Amino acid sequence: IYYALGLVAAYALGLTPLVFLFAGLIFAATALTYTEGTAMFPEAGGSSSFARQAFNEGAAFGAAWGQMLNYIITIAISAFFVPHYLGVFWEPLNSNPWDIIVGIGVVALIAMLNIVGIKEAAKLNIGLALLDLGTQVLLVLVGLLVVFSPTQVWDNIVWGVAPTWTNVIIGVTLAMIAYTGIETISNMAEEAQVPERTIPASIRATVITVLVMYALIPIVALSALPVTQQPDGSYSTELGTTYAGDPILGIVSQFGLTGTWQLVVEAFVGVLAATILVIATNAGVIGVSRLTYAMGSHRQLPSGIRRLHPRFNTPAVAIVIFCAIAALVMIPGQAVFLSNLYAFGAMLSFSIAHLAIIWLRWTR
């Protein structure tokens, strides 16, 4: 949500809340598929593993590389937006080339942490994730009290014009990137305690939390930063223009705070958002390392790529290679391009996962 909100609002305008809700329903259906599949086959691989059990290695190969694309783009786009939120401290971080330079630095740092070992990178995640969730809840509560306006939310929509139906469809595809994470949960199945119980519980908790928050945050956002008609007749919202790179900071800017309080709140949100995006980058690297190991085990990658580090026992070669690719695709500095790549990879791997589970129901 820290970057998807601005990307989606640029296209979906006043229908942004409905677009996130529709994308969330697709996400919920995908989550049910992964819950069922992971409970049956608690192994790294996710949709690739499901496709192998249902069809053959060819289908598993396609699903695996779709997942790999997802992880690479998750790493790239999450790291790319870290400096945008840190721009509250130094404005040049909001634009090229500094957002690209710092983003690549974030990828390099996370790669090193994961080579040293996942435990060192994971111990911090739970506390930060809870802090993030608490902040989002507080943001929604304050927003509902301070800026929420049902009339404004309705007036943001000019049916068929702002947005056009074509842009609504584009918005739905971009919104899918806000729902990353299901593949990562699935790929950690082999390392989970009692995976047939803990993995479905994790996915259910994720779905409920994300659907509620991602339905409310866009409503607050479009109350704070409404859609307006420009002198040339076009429609836009500052959520998708001025604050496209840091939409949550855009919401906070409209809370009516002044002076030191405004600076403190913006600094807190900026640091927290940047930290959560670092965690998202880390989740992508974790996914790459586990998926690479699974793919190498089934000859979908050269065996040398899955080779473990002699000291740390982590897939260091794979982490370096795919983090380097993530850094390369970040260089053009085009967030929409990265989002479209993610949407393609998600469509491929998730569709294969759905088909695999349907086929397994009929044949087992």
Side-chain angles (χ1 to χ4, degrees):
I1 199 69
Y2 285 104
Y3 48 78
L5 182 57
L7 293 173
V8 173
Y11 289 92
L13 299 175
L15 286 179
T16 296
L18 288 179
V19 163
F20 270 102
L21 183 59
F22 184 76
L25 295 176
I26 299 173
F27 166 72
T30 303
L32 291 173
T33 287
Y34 273 83
T35 300
E36 185 173 341
T38 306
M40 286 192 292
F41 312 109
E43 58 187 42
S47 58
S48 177
S49 175
F50 310 158
R52 182 175 299 106
Q53 299 292 337
F55 306 121
N56 51 44
E57 283 296 329
F61 181 85
W65 280 102
Q67 286 184 64
M68 185 63 75
L69 178 59
N70 290 349
Y71 285 133
I72 290 171
I73 300 305
T74 297
I75 294 168
I77 199 167
S78 299
F80 177 72
F81 277 94
V82 168
H84 285 258
Y85 279 94
L86 295 179
V88 295
F89 301 105
W90 191 47
E91 192 173 344
L93 291 174
N94 286 316
S95 57
N96 297 342
W98 286 106
D99 54 355
I100 298 171
I101 294 169
V102 174
I104 291 173
V106 169
V107 173
L109 175 63
I110 296 299
M112 288 193 302
L113 281 175
N114 278 271
I115 289 172
V116 171
I118 187 172
K119 288 183 179 179
E120 285 74 5
K123 285 179 179 178
L124 215 53
N125 283 8
I126 294 176
L128 289 172
L130 290 173
L131 179 62
D132 170 50
L133 179 59
T135 302
Q136 289 189 25
V137 170
L138 183 61
L139 179 75
V140 167
L141 292 176
V142 173
L144 290 174
L145 290 172
V146 175
V147 298
F148 174 61
S149 169
T151 304
Q152 181 63 67
V153 172
W154 178 258
D155 290 343
N156 280 326
I157 306 169
V158 183
W159 295 98
V161 177
T164 64
W165 298 118
T166 299
N167 281 346
V168 170
I169 294 171
I170 294 172
V172 171
T173 62
L174 293 176
M176 289 305 299
I177 199 168
Y179 296 95
T180 59
I182 290 298
E183 284 279 7
T184 305
I185 296 173
S186 179
N187 275 323
M188 296 297 289
E190 290 182 0
E191 299 170 58
Q193 296 179 3
V194 198
E196 64 276 7
R197 180 174 59 84
T198 56
I199 295 295
S202 298
I203 293 176
R204 282 195 300 270
T206 300
V207 170
I208 293 170
T209 304
V210 167
L211 281 181
V212 171
M213 296 309 302
Y214 288 11
L216 294 174
I217 290 176
I219 292 173
V220 170
L222 283 170
S223 295
L225 299 164
V227 175
T228 56
Q229 188 172 17
Q230 305 305 309
D232 63 358
S234 64
Y235 291 84
S236 67
T237 167
E238 286 188 282
L239 199 61
T241 54
T242 306
Y243 297 104
D246 47 11
I248 304 300
L249 281 175
I251 299 172
V252 171
S253 72
Q254 301 303 307
F255 280 177
L257 300 173
T258 56
T260 303
W261 280 109
Q262 180 69 23
L263 294 175
V264 169
V265 171
E266 287 185 357
F268 173 75
V269 171
V271 170
L272 179 65
T275 303
I276 297 303
L277 290 171
V278 169
I279 291 176
T281 307
N282 183 58
V285 177
I286 291 172
V288 162
S289 63
R290 296 309 178 271
L291 180 60
T292 302
Y293 195 80
M295 291 173 69
S297 301
H298 295 279
R299 299 182 181 179
Q300 294 174 342
L301 277 176
S303 58
I305 294 180
R306 65 187 284 264
R307 190 170 64 246
L308 299 181
H309 192 283
R311 178 181 174 188
F312 301 117
N313 203 36
T314 54
V317 176
I319 291 172
V320 169
I321 290 175
F322 291 106
C323 283
I325 295 173
L328 286 174
V329 299
M330 202 190 307
I331 289 175
Q334 299 295 320
V336 174
F337 168 70
L338 294 174
S339 300
N340 287 332
L341 282 179
Y342 178 86
F344 172 76
M347 178 274 295
L348 180 63
S349 60
F350 292 167
S351 296
I352 293 174
H354 290 309
L355 291 172
I357 295 303
I358 292 170
W359 183 256
L360 287 168
R361 285 177 178 176
W362 286 350
T363 57
R364 291 200 175 199

